[in-house]
Amino acid sequence: MMPEPYKLTASEASSMIKQGELTPVDLVESLLERIKELEPKLDAWVTVDAEGALKAAKALTMEAQKGSLRSPLHGIAVGVKDIYATKALRTTMGSPLYHDHVPDRDSNVVARLREAGAIILGKTETTEFAYLDPAPTRNPWNTEYTPGGSSSGSAAAVAARMCPLAFGSQTGGSVMRPASFCGVAAMKPTHDLLSREGIYPQSWSLDHVGFMSRSVEDLKLTLGALTGIQAQSLIKKPRIGVPTSYFNEAGDEDVTRNYEETKEKLREAGGEILDFKLPDSFRFVHQAHRIIMFAEAASVHEAMFKETPNLYRSHMQGEIASGLVIPSSTYLHAQRIREKFRNELTASMSGIDVVITPTALTPALKGLTSTGDAAFNVPWSLTGFPTVTIPSGLTDEGLPFGAQLIAGPYEEIKLLSVAAWCELALPFDAEPPLQ
Amino acid sequence: MKTTREDYVRYYLDSAKKIGIPIEPLTQSIVKTAEAAWAVDSYKVEPSDEPAEKSPRRRIH
């Protein structure tokens, strides 16, 4: 018996649409029902474009019935973080300053998605300007907990099976961390692999496009449809570097225990687990990241902040105010540290396929006032290296852990191959306990 | 000339006041930034640390 369409992963739905066993209309209608049922509890969406999605679904259904499929994303409904411009669809940046803003054109990624036959289901909740002031979204695993951020709505929507695929962005940890908190897979490709044109900037040189799904297969499908990069065969015996400092001690007790268990499972599955020494420049990466991010964010917001400071929430106010007083020499020092770290890391990684770390310092936090800490993700946002997170277990309270894999620049094929291998070694079939 | 952590914190808070930023609610963020700046400025990157050739950048449009 065919499962309810909303339960399908993107790959499963894609295959069924190709075989003529499912129509894009069926998929969208099932997802809209799911959203109607769960949205009052989860608040994952700013705007659901039911009319637009169904109109697109009907057109794509007709194309499919004529045998014309645009890509493996043909007919797949996606959520898009509400900082991506979407033509004629309200885009608020999570801020009252853009409450009624309606872009007149799509961002580059959204345009590509539409060309590939994907359907924009709606705009998912973001923290204010993709920083730390929380969105109202709740974690589907326990609605008293944060889903993380800043791509809060996208992570929650995918975890809750409201859409099989959703897009976010990461400047510090805003794709990896919410994906980990919500028990979904996610990818942040190399910094400039996917265009950020039309995505409201937090920090130009740190912002990354990212996306979330329920499997590594879906990540491969998405990357392939958008870039032509095809991750093919599984790697046989991945060489997985484990940092000998910081990541094995900075996380909380539960995360550290899960990390040890994860490494052991990967070793038992036949992976080569190797010590990986972090370069000396690692000591300053978090500080360098803060300086760069704050200076660039202040530059984005300077004019609006001076006019309407009180329309910003407290974290944004702190970021902009601090950023406005950073001297250019300090900003440039930070960029030089960044370049040094990037070069040293590239050299260090020559003997391994990927580095593995926990994705987040903690599981999801109780309450909605904090979206968590991006410390385990910041170094890879700073370097622009591609990362993937996959679920790696549950706490005793039923909240997900994540394992983060990092590869060298433009090594997406290797990264996804290792991620697929790890996914087999770390099976995770749990679902959020939603009615 | 800023050298100590306290110099940095004082400089950042004074700079924020000079441009009309209300310090009180934002002190924590400004102080944390000052501390980050102190760390960043303390780490010297020598010209010899920067390779002559940069790795190529690719973008797909």
Side-chain angles (χ1 to χ4, degrees):
Chain A
M1 189 169 129
M2 191 184 103
E4 284 284 343
Y6 74 79
K7 292 185 181 177
L8 298 167
T9 64
S11 302
E12 289 166 348
S14 177
S15 175
M16 292 182 72
I17 288 170
K18 188 177 175 184
Q19 303 299 327
E21 295 162 359
L22 176 76
T23 68
V25 170
D26 293 334
L27 180 60
V28 167
E29 284 179 346
S30 179
L31 293 170
L32 289 172
E33 267 309 303
R34 183 76 172 165
I35 290 171
K36 192 173 160 188
E37 182 195 344
L38 293 179
E39 181 61 2
K41 286 187 213 180
L42 298 179
D43 246 316
W45 301 86
V46 181
T47 306
V48 177
D49 184 19
E51 190 183 324
L54 281 167
K55 185 178 172 189
K58 283 174 188 160
L60 290 161
T61 296
M62 284 177 57
E63 286 180 23
Q65 284 167 348
K66 288 176 189 164
S68 173
L69 295 174
R70 299 185 190 194
S71 84
L73 285 179
H74 191 104
I76 303 300
V78 309
V80 176
K81 185 176 182 179
D82 207 22
I83 60 168
Y84 284 61
T86 40
K87 185 177 177 180
L89 192 58
R90 194 167 74 110
T91 300
T92 70
M93 327 305 173
S95 167
L97 289 159
Y98 285 86
H99 186 265
D100 298 314
H101 173 65
V102 180
D104 59 7
R105 61 195 200 100
D106 285 331
S107 51
N108 181 282
V109 165
V110 169
R112 283 174 177 278
L113 285 168
R114 293 197 212 262
E115 274 165 35
I119 297 167
I120 308 302
L121 196 50
K123 307 305 290 299
T124 54
E125 286 279 2
T126 172
T127 61
E128 184 176 275
F129 292 114
Y131 187 44
L132 291 178
D133 298 290
T137 312
R138 295 170 179 273
N139 194 312
W141 294 83
N142 185 324
T143 54
E144 291 181 25
Y145 287 69
T146 178
S150 59
S151 309
S152 315
S154 286
V158 170
R161 278 80 170 139
M162 293 171 162
C163 56
L165 176 64
F167 277 72
S169 69
Q170 175 160 318
T171 306
S174 293
V175 169
M176 296 289 111
R177 178 166 90 260
S180 179
F181 282 8
C182 291
V184 299
M187 182 172 203
K188 177 190 75 67
T190 305
H191 178 242
D192 54 0
L193 194 67
L194 287 169
S195 172
R196 295 174 305 284
E197 185 272 326
I199 300 175
Y200 199 94
Q202 158 73 219
S203 166
W204 292 292
S205 74
L206 290 167
D207 292 342
H208 294 66
V209 170
F211 41 91
M212 304 177 190
S213 65
R214 285 173 25 229
S215 68
V216 174
E217 191 60 34
D218 286 2
L219 298 177
K220 287 184 188 178
L221 183 148
T222 305
L223 188 75
L226 290 177
T227 65
I229 293 172
Q230 299 295 337
Q232 305 278 356
S233 52
L234 269 189
I235 201 160
K236 288 209 166 61
K237 190 179 174 71
R239 297 167 301 165
I240 301 173
V242 173
T244 53
S245 59
Y246 186 70
F247 294 94
N248 55 358
E249 59 208 4
D252 81 0
E253 205 178 302
D254 286 338
V255 161
T256 304
R257 185 173 52 247
N258 177 259
Y259 185 41
E260 294 304 314
E261 289 168 1
T262 297
K263 285 185 276 176
E264 198 44 46
K265 284 179 189 171
L266 296 178
R267 187 179 283 113
E268 284 169 6
E272 200 177 341
I273 309 299
L274 302 162
D275 282 350
F276 180 74
K277 189 168 184 297
L278 292 165
D280 180 67
S281 50
F282 180 83
R283 293 184 291 133
F284 296 93
V285 297
H286 294 92
Q287 296 95 327
H289 181 274
R290 184 182 180 95
I291 294 299
I292 293 168
M293 186 169 87
F294 279 34
E296 292 182 359
S299 171
V300 171
H301 290 277
E302 182 174 10
M304 263 194 318
F305 182 69
K306 283 178 176 169
E307 231 179 82
T308 50
N310 295 328
L311 290 181
Y312 285 89
R313 291 164 70 189
S314 60
H315 284 291
M316 275 305 296
Q317 287 190 6
E319 183 188 47
I320 297 165
S322 304
L324 285 173
V325 298
I326 294 172
S328 57
S329 57
T330 302
Y331 171 81
L332 289 166
H333 277 137
Q335 290 283 20
R336 294 180 78 191
I337 290 172
R338 175 189 205 171
E339 191 66 15
K340 183 172 163 80
F341 177 58
R342 189 188 275 143
N343 291 331
E344 288 180 344
L345 195 66
T346 304
S348 303
M349 287 176 75
S350 62
I352 56 170
D353 294 313
V354 300
V355 173
I356 188 168
T357 76
T359 308
L361 272 77
T362 66
L365 303 169
K366 191 165 186 179
L368 300 183
T369 55
S370 168
T371 59
D373 191 323
F376 281 178
N377 320 120
V378 153
W380 329 114
S381 297
L382 187 69
T383 54
F385 287 11
T387 61
V388 161
T389 181
I390 56 173
S392 59
L394 292 174
T395 69
D396 293 339
E397 293 75 33
L399 294 165
F401 294 111
Q404 177 177 239
L405 303 171
I406 304 106
Y410 306 108
E411 291 189 337
E412 275 78 3
I413 292 177
K414 188 196 292 188
L415 176 61
L416 287 168
S417 294
V418 176
W421 184 94
C422 290
E423 191 182 47
L424 289 175
L426 304 168
F428 183 86
D429 57 7
E431 287 186 33
L434 296 161
Q435 295 304 319
Chain B
M1 176 76 79
K2 312 189 290 291
T3 49
T4 65
R5 177 196 165 279
E6 289 70 28
D7 288 339
Y8 272 76
V9 169
R10 193 175 315 117
Y11 173 85
Y12 272 67
L13 289 171
D14 287 348
S15 300
K17 269 187 214 150
K18 274 188 195 149
I19 62 170
I21 288 167
I23 300 299
E24 205 37 60
L26 307 174
T27 305
Q28 195 181 23
S29 181
I30 296 172
V31 167
K32 202 169 165 188
T33 306
E35 290 171 338
W38 176 56
V40 159
D41 284 347
S42 73
Y43 186 74
K44 297 299 172 211
V45 179
E46 300 300 329
S48 56
D49 288 332
E50 292 171 44
E53 287 177 26
K54 303 285 188 186
S55 55
R57 301 284 193 244
R58 281 198 277 133
R59 171 172 286 153
I60 293 173
H61 286 289

